Amino acid sequence: MIAPKLVDMFGRLWRAEEQTRAARSVEYFGYVDFTLGLLLLLDPWLSVTLLHVPALTEQGENYLRLVGLLVSGLGLLYIVSGRLNAQGFVFASMLDRPMVPGVMAVLWYKDILPGSLALAFSVSDFSGFLWTLSAWRKDERLGAYQRPQLLARVVAAGFAYLSGVVRNARFFHPDGRVMRGSVRALEATDADLARAGGRLAGEVLLRMGMGLMKRGAPRWLAKIIPDAPSIACRFLGVVAPSGDGLRRRLGEDLDLLCTAGGDRLWKLVLNLATGGWMNGLERFDYFRNVYYSQIRYRVAEGGHDLWIRLVPAGEAGATSPHDDAGRELQLTRAITEHQVLKIEAQRAGARNAAWVAFAEIRFEDEMQIDQEALHFDPEEGRGFVPGGFLTYLRKVVYPASVARRPPTKVERVRRDGAGIFVRLREYFAGYSSAPPTANSGEYPVGSSAGYSGHPSSNTPSLVRTTDGDGAVPRKHGWLRLFCWSLLALLVVLTAYLAVRFTRDQPVEYSDDVLHFMYGSTGGERRNGIPYWYWVALPELFPEYLPDKKAGRGYSSFGMIYEKGKDPRYDLPVGVSMRNFRGIDVVYLNCAVCHTGTVRDAPGSEPRVIPGMPANTFDLGAWGQFLTNVPVDQKFSGQRLMDQIEKMQADAHRRAPKPDFINRVILRSLAADLMRDQLIILRQRLGFIDKNSWGPGRVDTFNAPKALLNFPMEHADPKELMGNADFPSIWNQGPREGMQLHWDGNNTSVNERNLSAAFGTGAYPPTLDVPLVLRTAKWLETAKPIAFPYPIDAALALKGAVIYQQYCAGCHGTREAPFHHTPPEAGERVGTVVPIADIGTDRSRLDSYTWALAVNQSTLYAGYEQDWGFDQPYPQRFSHFKKTQGYANSPLDGIWLRGPYLHNGSVPNLRELLEPSAARTKVFYRGDNVYDPENVGFAFDVAQRDGKNFFLFDTTKRGNGNSGHEGPAYGTSLSPEEKRELLEYLKTF
């Protein structure tokens, strides 16, 4: 057997001739495989996201790309084999694909493939097998049929939709006037043309009208759209059929369609597209135009290819009509006066050859018929055989249009009244006019005559034969399948997008301590920063970092990264993550302000201690960073995505690479939204001096005023400074009922927790109740770690006596619940001491106002149990009150709570036992090297390990270090007694 030429094989591949249904199913399955393979190859992370496969390692990503390469290659093999109608390969694929689910099951069982990926391959291949099996059995039962080319099918579908749904009539030549005529052969020097004219002689049915506009079209539209007159002729021969000639006799009658405005189709289209002024086109005068067939005809005699045209005979009148009405009146006169049209031919291939008249048409009389019942078909007849791609296209498009539009004028009126949505439903339901009579050779009114695979036509059609009684119009099965597939795809896509954009999945931790350090409060739902923006910002904007250095994440703000974590990609303590609406977003949680570090000496590893004040974290500087970057010109979606693309392949990342959807969001939308929010925040909180905070401090209650829409430009100046230290938060259970916050403005632990959660972005609509309750539950019994340095037990024992005499009345007992039951006389732990008695800086006290307390009582409105809210938590705030002093708090973990006093103005406990005049006036905050002798953190160096510390000046507003002094507060004790007291406080 001689192998065919490669060029022939490529031709067969392009044309896909005589393709069976089974082969076509293999081809289409190949497209699916090829597409899936390309997705795996080009964007494996998209597949990981869609299938919820565990995060890939770099090696895993490469393996997945290799799988994509193999699958796409296999898909290409399926496509080629299907288009070449390779029945052997089709059969082999039916043996191969059923085995895929078994193979996938084994791979999943052996932990070689994730279950979701194995399931995806199994469903895909087995569904393809069932499709091919069904198609094979259909081929056995019905036999194969020849399909039109893809372009023809697409054009046919388009015109079927326009004719059946949009216009409810033909798209081309929608209306006209019909008349009878007679044809007479003319003497021609060319004998072949003379014989051809003789075959046309006899009766003819003509329709004259415009090419595009139908009757009843809006006049303004008709003026805008250029149009061209057209003539359609049905040559019936000497022996005319009985009846009106509306039924075309297949193989006998010839339909000739001619249009003015250009002798080739491209010229006509160009003419109409540029206004319709070229090639002698006269829109309002039928008889000043020349009408061209625009397709070639081969005549039986001599096998010549001819171009044909119709030319009105006689001289044109002196005046020409100038509107539609005048044109129709002219046509009426022409019918009455028996106007003549000459039929002329020109040899194809000879552009300069003369046009030769070989027959003429004489108008006889006008006919009143149902326009929808008359169809002119591009089929051979009278020895004339139309050719060319336009003929092929017409043979596919015309029946598709006929099958979707009304077969009669009555039906057209009904469908006009029913409206476009009814027509659309009928279109997808396979609406069709009456089918041709089987094997009769005649086609009833409204039929798609000549398109059923009749022996006279070798052109593929959209109407296929069955193996039964004859021709049956095909109701666009392929289109219906496409539409259903498209609908299914839209349903799946909608469901996927619904799942994706309603996703709300926090990262959760089994350990309560880890949950406190990294778990969510719900703030990411409203204030979340996309994870990839979070990691990109310090790299893109190092000039706004305190140390001006990229590559260290947020370390320069004093945020804590546990040992072994990469600050460029890992999250610091106090930052949580959740997948919200399909994007991994991060934000602060409670631990960011309530977890600190302690080092025994410079250079030693820090201890991370949950629950203690965040002694190194400069929240003010971090806030300024976030509100400074959006006003920089570099803050754009494109620049951020450029930075993300540089970082996304690193194995240390905490989130998958952004998939296509997230890349679009991050590049086109998220940056603008984030900029708007941060700029608004920058403006609303602009009255707060964040530069005055420093590490471990925050202005607690001025930000809520702005968020509650207080007009801060009119605020009393004395309430604009409210800086205070982060408190420790251990042993919250015993604190229930005590006066909480530095000024004791609330006695409810729950309200205090929820109020503090506002700082993490957890508002009533966004609060993640179960996760916040879990944190609150752990804090009820959480304990500080023991003092890790040596304690002189003898001195501590003496100090206990001193503590009982000077301190216990205000600060309670060493262990929880910090008070006696029943309370002893003079026991005031958890109560407020008037500012006149305690004498400390009053700025924090003045910043909390009666107006704020009243407004805070509106928070969580709608969560009142008395009003029908059946959950015990949360509840509307009702415990906030304005006080006139500072609260006595228990001293659990006091060794970790320096610097001391509410504003952190005293560097260590030893100095707190000194009069204010003897306390350090200026010192540095932010160091975590511990001073066990003086019980506090080092404060006398400006920088360490490349980090600059915050210079704290007690002479500045809000930083005063006076108060908590005098005999009652132990500042008059002897040095030895102070040492004994300190030793005892180390045991707390």
Side-chain angles (χ1 to χ4, degrees):
M1 179 178 179
I2 301 176
K5 294 181 179 179
L6 283 177
V7 66
D8 294 336
M9 292 302 294
F10 279 112
R12 286 180 56 193
L13 181 64
W14 173 254
R15 294 188 298 271
E17 296 173 333
E18 301 178 358
Q19 194 180 24
T20 64
R21 297 173 183 85
R24 193 172 306 112
S25 74
V26 168
E27 176 192 350
Y28 292 163
F29 178 78
Y31 291 129
V32 174
D33 258 13
F34 184 71
T35 303
L36 293 177
L38 281 183
L39 286 176
L40 290 173
L41 178 63
L42 300 177
D43 194 353
W45 283 100
L46 176 61
S47 306
V48 167
T49 303
L50 291 175
L51 298 173
H52 297 286
V53 174
L56 295 175
T57 63
E58 184 174 356
Q59 187 179 28
E61 181 179 341
N62 292 334
Y63 280 145
L64 199 55
R65 290 186 189 275
L66 180 59
V67 170
L69 182 62
L70 295 175
V71 170
S72 59
L74 185 62
L76 191 60
L77 181 61
Y78 274 85
I79 293 170
V80 172
S81 300
R83 290 190 66 81
L84 291 178
N85 206 30
Q87 295 301 303
F89 184 90
V90 173
F91 178 73
S93 76
M94 293 170 62
L95 300 179
D96 160 58
R97 285 180 284 175
M99 295 188 292
V100 171
V103 174
M104 292 296 112
V106 171
L107 294 177
W108 168 72
Y109 181 75
K110 295 288 188 182
D111 287 330
I112 298 174
L113 274 184
S116 53
L117 191 59
L119 180 62
F121 280 127
S122 299
V123 170
S124 170
D125 280 75
F126 198 74
S127 299
F129 158 71
L130 293 177
W131 183 11
T132 302
L133 178 63
S134 173
W136 187 287
R137 297 184 65 181
K138 200 167 186 178
D139 284 332
E140 289 177 345
R141 188 172 69 254
L142 301 178
Y145 74 98
Q146 195 173 359
R147 300 173 75 227
Q149 293 179 10
L150 177 62
L151 175 61
R153 300 202 306 273
V154 171
V155 174
F159 280 107
Y161 177 80
L162 291 172
S163 300
V165 179
V166 178
R167 300 198 63 167
N168 193 33
R170 296 181 187 88
F171 188 81
F172 294 115
H173 322 295
D175 287 309
R177 296 171 63 181
V178 180
M179 61 215 73
R180 289 186 185 275
S182 58
V183 182
R184 180 175 68 88
L186 300 178
E187 292 184 4
T189 56
D190 189 320
D192 292 337
L193 282 182
R195 286 193 292 273
R199 280 195 304 279
L200 295 182
E203 291 192 25
V204 63
L205 196 69
L206 300 101
R207 182 179 67 200
M208 295 187 70
M210 302 305 290
L212 295 175
M213 298 308 299
K214 64 178 181 178
R215 294 173 193 167
R219 188 169 297 178
W220 62 268
L221 185 64
K223 289 181 178 180
I224 293 175
I225 300 179
D227 207 350
S230 66
I231 302 176
C233 310
R234 176 166 292 166
F235 296 94
L236 303 171
V238 177
V239 182
S242 59
D244 51 17
L246 297 183
R247 295 175 177 83
R248 178 177 176 275
R249 297 172 298 180
L250 205 62
E252 296 186 35
D253 300 337
L254 171 66
D255 286 352
L256 179 68
L257 292 86
C258 299
T259 307
D263 60 349
R264 300 293 186 270
L265 179 62
W266 69 267
K267 291 183 180 180
L268 172 61
V269 172
L270 179 62
N271 191 1
L272 295 181
T274 55
W277 308 110
M278 298 185 293
N279 301 320
L281 178 61
E282 295 288 343
R283 178 176 176 179
F284 299 116
D285 192 332
Y286 285 124
F287 301 102
R288 287 180 181 267
N289 287 292
V290 177
Y291 299 84
Y292 294 91
S293 65
Q294 294 159 347
I295 60 173
R296 290 181 297 180
Y297 285 85
R298 173 158 292 190
V299 295
E301 291 77 15
H304 301 301
D305 285 344
L306 302 176
W307 294 102
I308 297 177
R309 71 180 185 181
L310 302 178
V311 181
E315 295 293 329
T319 59
S320 181
H322 293 91
D323 55 24
D324 293 334
R327 181 187 61 219
E328 297 306 315
L329 182 61
Q330 180 197 48
L331 179 57
T332 301
R333 288 199 304 268
I335 296 171
T336 304
E337 297 171 0
H338 304 295
Q339 172 70 41
V340 172
L341 299 175
K342 291 190 179 295
I343 308 176
E344 297 182 351
Q346 181 190 55
R347 292 290 177 94
R351 294 285 295 172
N352 296 322
W355 288 89
V356 178
F358 65 97
E360 66 179 17
I361 300 172
R362 182 176 185 268
F363 292 2
E364 300 296 346
D365 55 17
E366 189 168 3
M367 300 174 62
Q368 301 299 324
I369 67 167
D370 188 341
Q371 283 287 319
E372 299 301 333
L374 182 59
H375 307 296
F376 290 87
D377 306 319
E379 295 289 340
E380 64 179 279
R382 302 289 154 199
F384 287 74
V385 181
F389 181 74
L390 181 57
T391 298
Y392 173 90
L393 199 60
R394 283 175 171 173
K395 289 183 178 183
V396 177
V397 170
Y398 282 19
S401 175
V402 168
R404 287 299 190 276
R405 68 179 190 248
T408 65
K409 184 176 181 180
V410 173
E411 181 68 4
R412 175 171 163 181
V413 172
R414 179 194 73 79
R415 282 159 55 94
D416 269 334
I420 191 170
F421 292 107
V422 172
R423 298 200 295 271
L424 188 64
R425 176 177 57 79
E426 292 179 349
Y427 172 80
F428 286 112
Y431 179 93
S432 177
S433 52
T437 305
N439 299 326
S440 67
E442 291 194 357
Y443 293 76
V445 173
S447 73
S448 52
Y451 302 104
S452 60
H454 190 279
S456 67
S457 174
N458 296 319
T459 306
S461 72
L462 292 181
V463 182
R464 67 178 125 161
T465 61
T466 71
D467 57 350
D469 296 329
V472 178
R474 183 183 178 209
K475 298 182 179 180
H476 287 289
W478 67 271
L479 182 59
R480 206 157 53 247
L481 176 62
F482 170 78
C483 291
W484 279 112
S485 300
L486 182 60
L487 180 61
L489 179 62
L490 288 175
V491 169
V492 171
L493 182 60
T494 301
Y496 166 72
L497 292 177
V499 171
R500 180 189 182 103
F501 290 121
T502 57
R503 189 180 300 156
D504 185 11
Q505 184 177 345
V507 177
E508 299 196 51
Y509 302 87
S510 58
D511 182 79
D512 286 339
V513 176
L514 287 177
H515 171 72
F516 170 75
M517 293 168 65
Y518 298 104
S520 173
T521 64
E524 308 94 340
R525 292 167 171 163
R526 177 66 180 83
N527 290 354
I529 300 171
Y531 167 80
W532 283 108
Y533 279 9
W534 173 269
V535 300
L537 288 175
E539 303 298 314
L540 191 58
F541 299 99
E543 63 271 27
Y544 296 109
L545 298 174
D547 61 0
K548 317 294 184 186
K549 296 178 181 177
R552 301 180 64 236
Y554 295 84
S555 300
S556 59
F557 297 109
M559 286 184 143
I560 302 166
Y561 291 90
E562 294 187 276
K563 185 178 180 181
K565 294 195 172 183
D566 186 341
R568 294 174 304 158
Y569 295 95
D570 282 305
L571 299 180
V573 173
V575 176
S576 59
M577 182 164 71
R578 75 168 58 219
N579 189 284
F580 186 64
R581 295 177 180 170
I583 298 181
D584 291 303
V585 290
V586 303
Y587 202 62
L588 309 179
N589 70 5
C590 303
V592 75
C593 298
H594 303 291
T595 298
T597 57
V598 175
R599 286 195 294 171
D600 298 337
S604 63
E605 284 296 326
R607 294 184 183 89
V608 178
I609 304 176
M612 70 172 281
N615 55 325
T616 62
F617 178 42
D618 192 338
L619 179 59
W622 180 79
Q624 285 186 307
F625 171 77
L626 284 187
T627 55
N628 282 336
V629 295
V631 298
D632 191 294
Q633 63 180 357
K634 291 188 295 183
F635 192 91
S636 68
Q638 185 59 57
R639 291 293 296 273
L640 285 164
M641 273 307 302
D642 290 344
Q643 182 61 40
I644 290 168
E645 287 170 358
K646 296 176 184 177
M647 304 178 70
Q648 63 184 2
D650 196 283
H652 293 94
R653 63 180 179 267
R654 286 290 307 278
K657 295 179 183 178
D659 59 18
F660 172 76
I661 294 176
N662 283 350
R663 284 201 299 270
V664 171
I665 293 173
L666 294 175
R667 177 178 285 111
S668 307
L669 179 63
D672 294 333
L673 293 177
M674 184 174 173
R675 178 193 296 109
D676 291 346
Q677 291 184 8
L678 290 175
I679 290 177
I680 290 172
L681 194 65
R682 174 190 176 105
Q683 293 171 340
R684 296 185 74 175
L685 302 183
F687 68 93
I688 299 176
D689 181 11
K690 301 183 186 68
N691 290 319
S692 67
W693 293 4
R697 298 211 309 169
V698 65
D699 188 336
T700 310
F701 287 109
N702 270 318
K705 294 174 189 175
L707 300 179
L708 287 167
N709 295 316
F710 279 33
M712 297 308 296
E713 66 274 15
H714 303 300
D716 187 334
K718 71 179 182 179
E719 68 176 90
L720 295 179
M721 172 58 69
N723 296 348
D725 268 23
F726 299 137
S728 63
I729 53 174
W730 304 292
N731 291 305
Q732 292 301 301
R735 282 173 163 81
E736 183 65 45
M738 294 184 182
Q739 290 189 273
L740 309 171
H741 288 136
W742 289 112
D743 58 348
N745 59 19
N746 198 301
T747 57
S748 167
V749 170
N750 279 343
E751 287 190 18
R752 195 282 317 276
N753 290 343
L754 292 174
S755 174
F758 273 72
T760 70
Y763 312 126
T766 63
L767 183 76
D768 195 323
V769 172
L771 298 186
V772 171
L773 280 175
R774 182 182 175 189
T775 295
K777 186 68 176 176
W778 178 74
L779 289 176
E780 288 178 4
T781 57
K783 308 292 184 187
I785 67 170
F787 191 75
Y789 310 104
I791 298 176
D792 189 320
L795 287 180
L797 189 60
K798 294 178 182 178
V801 177
I802 299 173
Y803 177 85
Q804 187 63 33
Q805 179 181 353
Y806 287 91
C807 311
C810 290
H811 296 291
T813 60
R814 176 175 172 273
E815 301 289 346
F818 310 116
H819 57 76
H820 296 90
T821 306
E824 295 181 352
E827 199 167 51
R828 295 180 294 167
V829 64
T831 63
V832 170
V833 178
I835 188 64
D837 295 342
I838 190 69
T840 51
D841 189 294
R842 65 174 297 130
S843 297
R844 163 65 181 79
L845 177 65
D846 292 337
S847 74
Y848 190 80
T849 63
W850 285 106
L852 180 57
V854 171
N855 277 270
Q856 282 185 295
S857 295
T858 68
L859 299 176
Y860 283 91
Y863 292 78
E864 297 86 348
Q865 199 163 10
D866 294 341
W867 295 2
F869 184 70
D870 58 358
Q871 300 297 324
Y873 182 88
Q875 289 291 314
R876 178 174 179 166
F877 289 1
S878 60
H879 291 77
F880 277 101
K881 301 289 187 293
K882 170 64 180 170
T883 68
Q884 298 302 325
Y886 290 110
N888 299 319
S889 64
L891 299 184
D892 48 335
I894 186 64
W895 69 275
L896 289 166
R897 289 156 63 174
Y900 296 94
L901 294 183
H902 71 274
N903 59 358
S905 58
V906 180
N908 53 53
L909 280 181
R910 181 172 295 279
E911 289 203 13
L912 188 62
L913 295 177
E914 301 295 335
S916 59
R919 296 169 184 169
T920 302
K921 302 299 183 186
V922 178
F923 61 93
Y924 292 96
R925 292 184 58 129
D927 200 347
N928 61 357
V929 174
Y930 200 74
D931 178 3
E933 183 176 349
N934 295 306
V935 191
F937 294 96
F939 63 88
D940 54 353
V941 295
Q943 66 87 28
R944 195 190 307 275
D945 300 329
K947 180 178 180 180
N948 295 319
F949 299 130
F950 180 80
L951 183 65
F952 189 93
D953 187 347
T954 61
T955 64
K956 290 186 176 180
R957 182 184 175 195
N959 292 354
N961 64 355
S962 61
H964 201 278
E965 56 185 315
Y969 295 97
T971 57
S972 299
L973 293 172
S974 67
E976 185 62 24
E977 288 174 318
K978 291 177 182 179
R979 183 183 172 202
E980 291 167 353
L981 179 57
L982 285 179
E983 209 68 17
Y984 178 64
L985 290 174
K986 294 176 184 178
T987 68
F988 278 56

